[in-house]
Amino acid sequence: MPYAYDEQNIFAKILRGEIPNKTVLETGHSLAFYDIEPQAPVHVLVIPKGPYVCHDHFALAATDAEIVDFTRTVGEVCRLTGVQPGEGGDGFRSISNAGENGVQEVPHYHLHILGGRPLGRMLARAKD
């Protein structure tokens, strides 16, 4: 079954200018903005401007130009926020949730960039 994109999701509304955001960077194909409920001192969301539901949808359906732009936007956001470990930052975590088991809350592909403090383990170890 193909992905069905919800044009009324909060990120679609942000892209249409119906909901304000604190923009970090905007390009031809991507928008990066600060999360309204940050989980770390640096918590930026990067979204494509196209109607993609999750990472695999974006990876399979986006144009090469959209994919390159998105990837470069992530790198530039890491530079702008000072989390790049290769440039003196202390590192970051990038997270993308997909579907019910991935606890995706907004059905528009988005990548979280988190940093500015130690983030601990990515997942708790499974108990046997």
Side-chain angles (χ1 to χ4, degrees), residues 5-40:
Y5 183 77
D6 175 11
E7 293 285 342
Q8 296 306 311
N9 76 71
I10 191 169
F11 295 159
K13 291 178 180 182
I14 287 171
L15 287 169
R16 289 193 300 265
E18 297 170 10
I19 297 174
N21 72 88
K22 188 174 175 190
T23 299
V24 175
L25 179 64
E26 184 169 6
T27 67
H29 296 290
S30 304
L31 177 66
F33 54 93
Y34 287 100
D35 194 296
I36 61 170
E37 294 183 20
Q39 303 298 305

Side-chain angles (χ1 to χ4, degrees), residues 105-121:
E105 295 179 3
V106 178
H108 183 110
Y109 174 48
H110 55 288
L111 183 75
H112 297 259
I113 298 172
L114 300 117
R117 70 168 173 81
L119 297 170
R121 295 193 63 80

Side-chain angles (χ1 to χ4, degrees), residues 42-121:
V42 173
H43 190 166
V44 176
L45 300 174
V46 182
I47 64 173
K49 290 183 177 180
Y52 304 105
V53 175
C54 55
H55 184 88
D56 65 296
H57 184 209
F58 178 74
L60 293 171
T63 65
D64 290 350
E66 289 173 303
I67 292 168
V68 169
D69 181 89
F70 185 87
T71 302
R72 300 272 189 208
T73 298
V74 169
E76 184 64 7
V77 165
C78 291
R79 186 188 71 75
L80 290 170
T81 58
V83 298
Q84 283 181 300
E87 297 297 327
D90 289 330
F92 64 96
R93 177 171 295 150
S94 57
I95 300 172
S96 176
N97 302 316
E100 184 178 339
N101 281 355
V103 194
Q104 183 177 6
E105 295 179 3
V106 178
H108 183 110
Y109 174 48
H110 55 288
L111 183 75
H112 297 259
I113 298 172
L114 300 117
R117 70 168 173 81
L119 297 170
R121 295 193 63 80

